[in-house]
Amino acid sequence: MKLAIMGAMPEEIAPILEKVGEYRVSSVAGNKYYECSFGGVEVVIAYSKIGKVFSALTAATMIERFGATAMLFSGVAGAISKELAIGDLIVATKLCQHDLDITAFGHPYGYVPEGSQFVETDERLRVIAKDVAAEMGIPLKEGVIATGDQFVADAARKEWIESTFAADALEMEGASVAVVCNALNVPVFILRAISDAADMDASFDFDAFLESSAKVSADFIMKMVDRIGG
Ligand code: 4EZ
C-alpha cells in the first residue's frame, strides 16, 4: 500500500510535512511531491493549488506516477449546515460539482453523460475515521460536500447549493479528486475542517481560521495514518 495525502494549499499540508519530518522531494508538472515512510506506511504528500483542474492533475499524478493506492484529502471548507461551526470536521460521504451545468439539455445540475451527479467516497476509510473520532472523543459529522471553481462568499449562492444538492459544506477540490480516484479504482477519503460559513464574512473568516482549521484536519488525518499503519 502507498498512501497519498493531499491538500490544495501549502497551509493544508504544512502540519503533515512537519509531522513526518524527513522526506524526498521531486517535481512533476509544476507541483512538488514529498515521499517518505511514516509509521511503516509508504506515503506521498502534495498540495495541488486551488481548484478542480489542479487538484485533478495532482490526484492523477499521485496515483499514476507515484503509485498511490489510497487517497486521503485534508483541508478546510465553508460550512453550509448550521450544525457546523468553525474548526468542526466533516467527512464527505459523497460529493458533487456545483458549477457543472448542462441543464439546458434537461440534465440535473452537476451531471454529465457517462458521469454521475454525485461521486461516493470509500466506506472502509470512513469507518476508520469514525473509529479514530470515537477514540479521540470528538464529534465527526458525515455529509455531502459540494465542489466548484468559486470561493463562495454569498448567502444566495450558498442557499442555492444547499437546496440543489442538500450539501453540508463546500470547497473547491473534493469532487474532482474523488472523480479521478473512482475512475482509477483508488479508494478516496475527503476530510475538511470548517474555516468560514461561505457568507458575507467568508473571506475574513477564511484568512483568520485557515491555519488553525487546516491543522485540525491534518492532525486528524495523521491519526488515521497511525491507525492504518497499525
Ligand atoms: C478551496 N478552499 C478555499 C481556497 C481559498 C483563497 C486564496 C476551501 C474553502 C472554500 N472554498 C474554504 N471556504 C470556502 C468557501 N467559502 N468557498 C469555497 O477548497 C483560496
Side-chain angles (χ1 to χ4, degrees):
M1 182 183 53
K2 185 160 182 180
L3 262 185
I5 308 175
M6 77 173 274
M9 301 176 71
E11 291 86 347
E12 290 172 328
I13 66 160
I16 294 162
L17 291 178
E18 197 172 311
K19 185 97 199 263
V20 301
E22 280 185 25
Y23 37 75
R24 292 194 307 284
V25 189
S26 49
S27 289
V28 179
N31 290 93
K32 283 188 176 140
Y33 293 83
Y34 306 87
E35 288 174 279
C36 68
S37 170
F38 179 76
V41 191
E42 289 302 304
V43 299
V44 55
I45 302 159
Y47 78 88
S48 57
K49 301 187 286 265
I50 295 156
K52 293 193 296 178
V53 173
F54 283 130
S55 58
L57 172 62
T58 295
T61 299
M62 289 174 117
I63 295 164
E64 294 288 294
R65 204 59 99 87
F66 291 91
T69 55
M71 168 67 72
L72 307 179
F73 188 102
S74 178
V76 301
I80 297 177
S81 165
K82 288 179 181 61
E83 283 172 40
L84 288 169
I86 286 170
D88 287 353
L89 288 167
I90 176 165
V91 171
T93 51
K94 59 181 187 174
L95 303 99
C96 61
Q97 297 181 60
H98 68 71
D99 57 350
L100 182 49
D101 179 356
I102 55 165
T103 56
F105 298 91
H107 294 296
Y109 285 103
Y111 177 85
V112 289
E114 299 183 57
S116 57
Q117 190 181 28
F118 290 97
V119 56
E120 280 170 26
T121 57
D122 185 68
E123 169 143 32
R124 276 163 46 221
L125 291 171
R126 281 191 270 119
V127 168
I128 293 171
K130 281 183 203 165
D131 290 347
V132 166
E135 196 170 275
M136 293 172 77
I138 61 160
L140 186 65
K141 185 177 166 59
E142 281 193 332
V144 177
I145 293 182
T147 301
D149 284 327
Q150 301 173 337
F151 183 84
V152 177
D154 173 73
R157 179 69 189 166
K158 169 179 154 173
E159 274 155 32
W160 182 85
I161 292 168
E162 178 175 34
S163 59
T164 306
F165 302 102
D168 296 292
L170 56 87
E171 35 83 317
M172 304 176 68
E173 300 84 18
S176 40
V177 169
V179 166
V180 166
C181 291
N182 282 17
L184 297 174
N185 283 314
V186 167
V188 60
F189 177 80
I190 309 282
L191 179 71
R192 298 278 183 167
I194 300 304
S195 57
D196 59 84
D199 55 10
M200 261 169 48
D201 304 321
S203 60
F204 305 98
D205 288 342
F206 178 83
D207 282 340
F209 298 109
L210 166 61
E211 209 179 316
S212 56
S213 292
K215 185 161 164 53
V216 169
S217 178
D219 288 350
F220 190 92
I221 287 282
M222 293 315 280
K223 292 252 160 60
M224 287 181 67
V225 178
D226 285 341
R227 182 169 278 252
I228 291 166

